[in-house]
Amino acid sequence: MNLPTERSPRKAKGQGPERREEILAAALRLFSEFGVYAVSTRQIAQAVGISQPTLYAYFPTKDDIGAELQNRAFALLAQALALGAKGDVASRDELVAMLRIYVDFGLSHPDMYRIAFMADNAQVRSWLPQSLSPATQSTYGVLRAMITDLHARGLTVDLDPETLTQSTWSGMHGLVSLMIAKPGFPWVEREHLITSHLGLIAGSLLQN
Amino acid sequence: MNLPTERSPRKAKGQGPERREEILAAALRLFSEFGVYAVSTRQIAQAVGISQPTLYAYFPTKDDIGAELQNRAFALLAQALALGAKGDVASRDELVAMLRIYVDFGLSHPDMYRIAFMADNAQVRSWLPQSLSPATQSTYGVLRAMITDLHARGLTVDLDPETLTQSTWSGMHGLVSLMIAKPGFPWVEREHLITSHLGLIAGSLLQN
DNA sequence: TCCATAACCAATCGTTGATAAGTGATCAGT
DNA sequence: ACTGATCACTTATCAACGATTGGTTATGGA
């Protein structure tokens, strides 16, 4: 029998939606430091100060915690891009500055970027064509809108805007994800590499 | 001496090094179909026809099975690139053909590529500066040799070869890794996208 | 006072990667 | 022919994993 029925001290932190945020914050920190597959639900629960089953009152599965973080990362990136996209892009330097927002976001939030664009979970693997999150569409949409506009003004090379957008996105993502995934690689000086890379992308995108 | 081994009435399949190859073959098939993290050591063992602990007589850990497959895959990539690099690159189309080897390899072996360049595990995370796998160095080396040669012949834009190599690698990696990580994204027609993207990379790399 | 609901947890399930101890076949040395 | 070592492999087991069950405790409206 369980006699010592001491009153639960009640973590005093938060309940309901607040608890949910605490879980997400702890999960993000742990995922970022150790990787998604190296972090257990028990570790997350302990970091929050609750029992492991309680996690399942807030998220159906562990993957759903990662999915939520992923969606939020997308939203933040889309917001940053949208802020920078005020007004038309008028010069090559302004185009580079826009692309730079994307790169800087990825490099200054490598944890979020990794979850958003480099995830290796069953959910991503089982994605069906139409199931893209609004945040993903938003992020991509801002970039596409800018390039479509450039294309309409006859400033780009002769390729359809959709292809140009995906190629440009790939170019930026390649640099960001490689620098995140291989921090030990003997990269040339970071600022020089970013400037050169974005310059090459902008140069190939714009008609010249 | 070493007679043709008819000595084992055992499992009739193989022992020693042969067993090792059977394990690698089964693991590659399962990893490719379901993903590394969704396949258990028991499943691999069952596919080979041995008990699960027997795996550990051939590999110290499950990760080592993946690592071996990764090294072999990228030895193949380096080899494919080296074969394609016979002789100087004489035209833009030849350069695109070289880059195409890399892209095709990544898209044909997505799980190996994921392990090698998109990994999210403790091993990669704890990498210290100089600990790059020979396969990575080899793969990168072939690309750098080609671009350094182009640079020496005055065919590239005015940037140092190391930066050009890293930028070019980033461009290819971006397309491959995004298409692997987001198979549900509404990509434009694959062949068109690859051709366009590599064309843009080659165009920005070569002086024009 | 009663009860619905929210928030939470101990106990437990089946499975995971990995280890320990032991079994039988095969070998070299005597 | 016997012995002891070794090889390839097994069953049994471990702690930890993600997830579920069955419940306890606290709160607030009727």
Side-chain angles (χ1 to χ4, degrees), chain A:
Chain A
M1 293 304 175
N2 217 345
L3 260 198
T5 319
E6 51 184 302
R7 262 182 52 97
S8 61
R10 273 305 132 155
K11 252 305 188 175
K13 260 304 185 58
Q15 296 172 341
E18 302 174 33
R19 261 288 139 79
R20 204 180 139 89
E21 295 304 317
E22 291 175 37
I23 293 171
L24 287 170
L28 176 59
R29 183 171 54 79
L30 290 171
F31 286 171
S32 301
E33 183 169 1
F34 304 108
V36 174
Y37 283 97
V39 174
S40 70
T41 53
R42 285 167 178 82
Q43 290 174 293
I44 298 173
Q46 187 177 21
V48 177
I50 58 178
S51 72
Q52 180 243 10
T54 300
L55 286 182
Y56 290 84
Y58 294 92
F59 297 93
T61 70
K62 180 188 174 185
D63 285 343
D64 285 293
I65 300 177
E68 173 87 30
L69 291 173
Q70 170 181 340
N71 284 334
R72 296 191 173 198
F74 271 117
L76 278 180
L77 175 53
Q79 187 181 2
L81 283 175
L83 279 177
K86 290 277 175 65
D88 290 346
V89 171
S91 68
R92 208 196 77 136
D93 286 347
E94 284 186 27
L95 173 59
V96 169
M98 273 297 300
L99 302 182
R100 181 82 201 215
I101 293 174
Y102 183 104
V103 173
D104 284 344
F105 179 90
L107 293 179
S108 50
H109 305 89
D111 43 358
M112 287 187 182
Y113 194 88
R114 195 187 274 275
I115 290 174
F117 290 120
M118 305 159 72
D120 180 27
N121 55 43
Q123 190 168 354
V124 168
R125 202 170 279 272
S126 66
W127 256 1
L128 292 180
Q130 70 283 5
S131 59
L132 285 178
S133 71
T136 307
Q137 294 173 351
S138 177
T139 298
Y140 180 77
V142 174
L143 185 61
R144 179 173 55 185
M146 180 181 67
I147 290 180
T148 300
D149 178 64
L150 286 171
H151 185 264
R153 286 150 63 199
L155 298 177
T156 70
V157 293
D158 187 24
L159 281 169
D160 57 294
E162 199 75 39
T163 299
L164 287 177
T165 304
Q166 293 178 9
S167 176
T168 302
W169 181 25
S170 297
M172 294 188 297
H173 168 72
L175 186 66
V176 172
S177 63
L178 265 188
M179 292 180 81
I180 290 174
K182 298 207 172 294
F185 189 82
W187 300 104
V188 298
E189 195 275 318
R190 169 176 286 211
E191 185 58 35
H192 171 66
L193 178 57
I194 295 173
T195 304
S196 303
H197 188 63
L198 294 184
L200 288 171
I201 290 177
S204 71
L205 181 61
L206 300 178
Q207 208 161 20
N208 49 4

